[in-house]
Amino acid sequence: MGGTVTTLLPVPRVRAAEPVAHPPRVSGEHRPGFRGPLVDRFGRVHRDLRISLTDRCSLRCTYCMPAEGVEWLAKDSILTTDELVRVARVLAELGITEVRLTGGEPLLRRDVVEVVRRMAEIEGVDGPLDVSMTTNGLKLPQLAEPLREAGLSRVNISIDTLQPERFAALTRRDRLDDVLAGIDAARTAGFSPLKLNAVPMRGVNDDEIVDLVQFAVDNGAQMRFIEQMPLDAGHTWSRTEMVDAAEILDRLSARFTLTEIGERGSSPAQEYRIDDTATTVGVIASVTAPFCGACDRVRLTADGQVRNCLFAREESDLLPLLRGSAVAGRGEASVDTDPSGAYRAGPADDDAIADLLQRTIAGKRAGHGIDDPGFLQPQRPMSAIGG
């Protein structure tokens, strides 16, 4: 059965931001303790925090890391739960309202349920922080219920193929049944909407685009396809080999009737209603239709680096402020934690942390620059940045 796409192709493009003369006003700015807004020179107000809980992962997906894995971050550099909560609380005072926990694989962190519980207790300008997670789902059969009880609101589960042999080749682990069990556990625990993520790759799984959507429909979930981005550890990404959003929609329109759903705002996914039902499918066209002009995200890596863009090659190091130790020169180029370039002798107060966060966001570029001739991939792979 054929279908159509009721939309304007290509996927709507949000241009890179333009500088603004005055920062916008935001809700909650007169609330006691409000330090924000966390705004850059283009007027983008940042409300979405991505926290990587660990760089370690239980899979070895070919588009993320080599078969032998990558060098893991030093254990003593990983932020403690108290440190994570402290930074999140300062960011909440700067206007952050949502936190997504990522990795690596976040469920590998032993105290992940406690992290969720404490994050969900933080009060933001609009009430408690909304806490969600992106996971490969392998440990959800054991953790879905405790995570839900701790305050986790939503989960996104990665599943790039429904074929066991292909899954084993793609992830270098024979764990498809465990992912499927994780999806069942998430649904049983009451996570809604339940979203499934896939990265279509030419000659690898692009023939399953329709099958994955049908699987999502049959399981009461929402499928989201993500254009493959230049974030692999081996730096082998090729734009010419990428399955882009237009091609994804072409494949889907051969089977389903798709109707575009309004403006996406700061959401990375352009969503489409399937066959006039309540079920939707999303397409994240980070490469061919970037949404940089509406980006409201700030990222915190597991080892305390603040990133103002997924593709940034500069980071701001929070560890010296959190621990009072001169830890610099790790990973990407570091942004000084003090305007004078000097590190404090002891742990800093929250004002200093807020100042660093505000200066990091103030330096955010207009766009990620993938199309620029001089574009360079971040030194960190996706597993060490956080999705």
Side-chain angles (χ1 to χ4, degrees):
M1 181 176 67
T4 60
V5 180
T6 306
T7 182
L8 298 175
L9 294 178
V11 174
R13 184 184 184 92
V14 179
R15 298 183 181 275
E18 297 290 339
V20 296
H22 304 287
R25 301 180 67 87
V26 297
S27 64
E29 63 181 300
H30 299 300
R31 180 173 177 156
F34 183 63
R35 298 173 180 267
L38 193 61
V39 61
D40 63 22
R41 62 193 177 95
F42 302 99
R44 293 173 295 198
V45 178
H46 291 69
R47 301 182 177 89
D48 187 337
L49 171 62
R50 302 295 170 108
I51 299 179
S52 175
L53 296 185
T54 177
D55 63 323
R56 296 174 184 263
C57 191
S58 42
L59 301 178
R60 297 291 182 271
C61 297
T62 56
Y63 56 83
C64 186
M65 65 176 70
E68 65 274 15
V70 296
E71 183 178 354
W72 304 125
L73 298 171
K75 287 187 177 181
D76 62 359
S77 72
I78 301 299
L79 295 182
T80 66
T81 298
D82 285 344
E83 290 168 339
L84 289 170
V85 171
R86 183 184 180 193
V87 176
R89 183 171 289 113
V90 172
L91 279 162
E93 294 170 356
L94 288 166
I96 289 293
T97 59
E98 301 179 36
V99 175
R100 177 170 291 274
L101 304 176
T102 69
E105 171 46 47
L107 295 184
L108 291 181
R109 184 160 175 139
R110 293 180 181 179
D111 64 345
V112 63
V113 175
E114 178 68 5
V115 172
V116 168
R117 183 186 66 79
R118 293 184 62 183
M119 289 288 171
E121 290 174 347
I122 296 174
E123 285 288 330
V125 295
D126 295 327
L129 294 182
D130 180 73
V131 184
S132 59
M133 179 180 291
T134 298
T135 172
N136 61 29
L138 297 184
K139 298 189 73 173
L140 280 176
Q142 298 80 37
L143 292 175
E145 288 287 354
L147 288 168
R148 183 70 171 161
E149 292 173 0
L152 191 69
S153 61
R154 300 180 308 284
V155 291
N156 286 31
I157 302 174
S158 300
I159 180 166
D160 295 310
T161 177
L162 299 170
Q163 301 178 22
E165 291 185 1
R166 182 176 287 179
F167 184 93
L170 179 58
T171 67
R172 304 185 178 100
R173 300 290 188 271
D174 187 11
R175 305 287 304 269
L176 177 59
D177 286 345
D178 294 327
V179 175
L180 297 176
I183 293 171
D184 287 340
R187 185 174 59 248
T188 300
F191 286 108
S192 179
L194 176 59
K195 295 181 180 180
L196 309 180
N197 295 344
V199 178
M201 291 159 282
R202 195 171 308 285
V204 177
N205 65 341
D206 57 327
D207 58 337
E208 291 188 75
I209 290 174
V210 169
D211 293 340
L212 284 164
V213 171
Q214 189 61 59
F215 172 81
V217 171
D218 294 342
N219 286 273
Q222 299 176 6
M223 197 70 220
R224 287 154 60 100
F225 293 104
I226 305 170
E227 288 183 340
Q228 187 177 4
M229 295 176 283
L231 291 167
D232 57 303
H235 290 207
T236 60
W237 176 84
S238 169
R239 180 164 185 153
T240 59
E241 293 299 313
M242 181 188 71
V243 180
D244 64 23
E247 183 174 347
I248 293 168
L249 291 173
D250 283 344
R251 301 277 189 101
L252 292 177
S253 66
R255 169 63 179 82
F256 305 104
T257 296
L258 305 180
T259 304
E260 185 179 320
I261 303 175
E263 295 293 330
R264 67 187 185 190
S266 62
S267 171
Q270 180 63 53
E271 294 190 332
Y272 301 83
R273 196 173 306 282
I274 300 174
D275 293 339
D276 294 324
T277 69
T279 304
T280 63
V281 59
V283 179
I284 301 177
S286 301
V287 178
T288 61
F291 42 91
C292 302
C295 180
D296 67 346
R297 297 180 180 181
V298 56
R299 298 175 183 273
L300 177 65
T301 68
D303 61 339
Q305 300 291 326
V306 183
R307 301 174 65 91
N308 58 25
C309 175
L310 181 60
F311 296 94
R313 290 182 61 83
E314 303 84 23
E315 300 175 331
S316 298
D317 194 351
L318 276 174
L319 275 189
L321 294 180
L322 293 169
R323 299 180 182 179
S325 57
V327 184
R330 302 176 298 128
E332 313 286 350
S334 292
V335 176
D336 287 338
T337 59
D338 185 274
S340 67
Y343 289 108
R344 296 172 181 262
D349 59 21
D350 288 353
D351 289 341
I353 293 173
D355 178 69
L356 174 62
L357 293 166
Q358 288 171 317
R359 287 189 290 110
T360 301
I361 295 303
K364 187 169 184 171
R365 295 185 174 93
H368 56 45
I370 289 178
D371 290 329
D372 296 344
F375 173 78
L376 295 174
Q377 288 188 217
Q379 293 176 348
R380 287 180 185 255
M382 187 68 167
S383 60
I385 295 175

